[in-house]
Amino acid sequence: LSQTLFLENPLPRRYRPNNINIPDFFLTTLSILFSSSFSSASLKPYFPKIPFLASSRSRRFLQIPSMSVSNPNNRRRFANPDSLSDWLKPRLPSDSFSSWGVKPGTKNVHNLWLEISQGETSLADSTPPIRTVNVATVKIIGKNNRVLIESHQELSDGTVRSRHRPLSEKMKPDESPDSAVLRAIREELGSIAGGEVRIVSGSYREKVEERCSASYPGLPARYMLYSVDAIVDGLPDDDFVTEEGDEYGDSEDKKVADQAVTVRKHFWKWVSPDSVEL
């Protein structure tokens, strides 16, 4: 009917206000709107999920209760450790959060606040929060292809934390993996290794691990691992110990740093390459 009226009267519709059929006009408008919304929905871009590249050990992350992520790209910042603590308490199991800095081998909320303020760690605004850390890992190769691992650490509170992994270090903001590797070797082995550092060509690897944090029980963590193999001259052939410097020496808030749990000693041992998982 609307098409017939249009053909019978060649004047544009704006000059024919008395001839407009309101029901037909309304239905035509709805039809156009429905067609437009259908087209826009069908053309909605597809965002693929990031592949899960975790080891069998890290798949324990999948056993964590389902998480409700309000905005995974919203990274939280906090004025002080108290504000971070207030934000975390309702988002984590109370028994887990209360064990931070109390359970042997764990760190406390001051550590996490320092990591966030220095840009080494980010927290997603989710329930529970997800801690994301970029980590440089170095598989140091010695005689007979043995691999150097950190067997355990002695912390400032007198407790011991088991490690059994190659040398690793949280990366600084905008730090490249190769710079982080050299810094990690200098900070954790510098007191005993005075020789040349050679990165093995073609050994660079990237990997994502998702698991609960050992330092912060109950807090899920996503580790972006950047790994290389290296040869470091001057290291002892037998097991040895190195001492950590001031872990938070570059922190602007010394009062917070003084309340954090820090690493005092690193205990190193050589193992067969088959016993090392990267």
Side-chain angles (χ1 to χ4, degrees), residues 51-274:
F52 184 74
L53 304 176
S55 65
S56 58
R57 178 182 299 177
S58 64
R59 289 193 185 101
R60 287 176 293 182
F61 181 86
L62 299 177
Q63 299 174 9
I64 297 173
S66 59
M67 296 173 291
S68 173
V69 180
S70 57
N71 185 354
N73 295 319
N74 185 9
R75 306 303 181 185
R76 300 285 307 189
R77 305 287 291 183
F78 303 91
N80 50 57
D82 288 338
S83 63
L84 172 59
S85 179
D86 292 341
W87 185 82
L88 285 170
K89 284 180 180 178
R91 291 171 170 81
L92 293 175
S94 58
D95 56 340
S96 297
F97 183 71
S98 62
S99 70
W100 290 16
V102 178
K103 181 180 178 181
T106 63
K107 296 184 177 181
N108 60 33
V109 72
H110 297 84
N111 290 91
L112 185 59
W113 185 84
L114 288 167
E115 291 179 11
I116 295 171
S117 64
Q118 294 179 2
E120 297 177 340
T121 288
S122 64
L123 281 183
D125 191 353
S126 59
T127 302
I130 301 175
R131 171 177 172 249
T132 298
V133 191
N134 292 333
V135 180
T137 301
V138 193
K139 187 171 75 173
I140 297 177
I141 302 174
K143 292 182 178 180
N144 301 319
N145 289 324
R146 292 186 303 168
V147 175
L148 185 68
I149 66 165
E150 185 179 23
S151 61
H152 57 283
Q153 297 173 341
E154 181 182 308
L155 305 182
S156 58
D157 60 2
T159 63
V160 174
R161 179 168 64 167
S162 177
R163 297 285 286 173
H164 197 79
R165 65 183 63 177
L167 186 153
S168 60
E169 186 74 20
K170 292 185 294 292
M171 295 173 61
K172 302 291 185 181
D174 301 322
E175 187 176 33
S176 64
D178 54 344
S179 297
V181 164
L182 296 177
R183 179 176 60 84
I185 293 173
R186 181 180 66 254
E187 291 181 359
E188 298 196 8
L189 297 177
S191 61
I192 199 167
E196 183 181 2
V197 176
R198 301 187 299 279
I199 304 298
V200 177
S201 178
S203 64
Y204 179 78
R205 300 173 297 276
E206 292 184 9
K207 181 181 178 181
V208 179
E209 284 190 2
E210 294 180 318
R211 62 178 184 267
C212 274
S213 173
S215 298
Y216 308 104
L219 181 64
R222 179 178 293 117
Y223 299 94
M224 319 296 291
L225 303 177
Y226 303 91
S227 305
V228 297
D229 297 351
I231 298 173
V232 180
D233 294 337
L235 294 178
D237 294 334
D238 299 322
D239 299 349
F240 59 95
V241 180
T242 58
E243 295 188 4
E244 178 85 14
D246 190 352
E247 187 174 352
Y248 297 111
D250 55 352
S251 173
E252 297 179 358
D253 198 325
K254 291 297 294 179
K255 291 183 178 179
V256 176
D258 289 342
Q259 298 180 69
V261 179
T262 59
V263 178
R264 291 290 175 82
K265 294 182 180 181
H266 303 270
F267 294 80
W268 306 94
K269 63 185 301 184
W270 297 98
V271 299
S272 66
D274 296 337

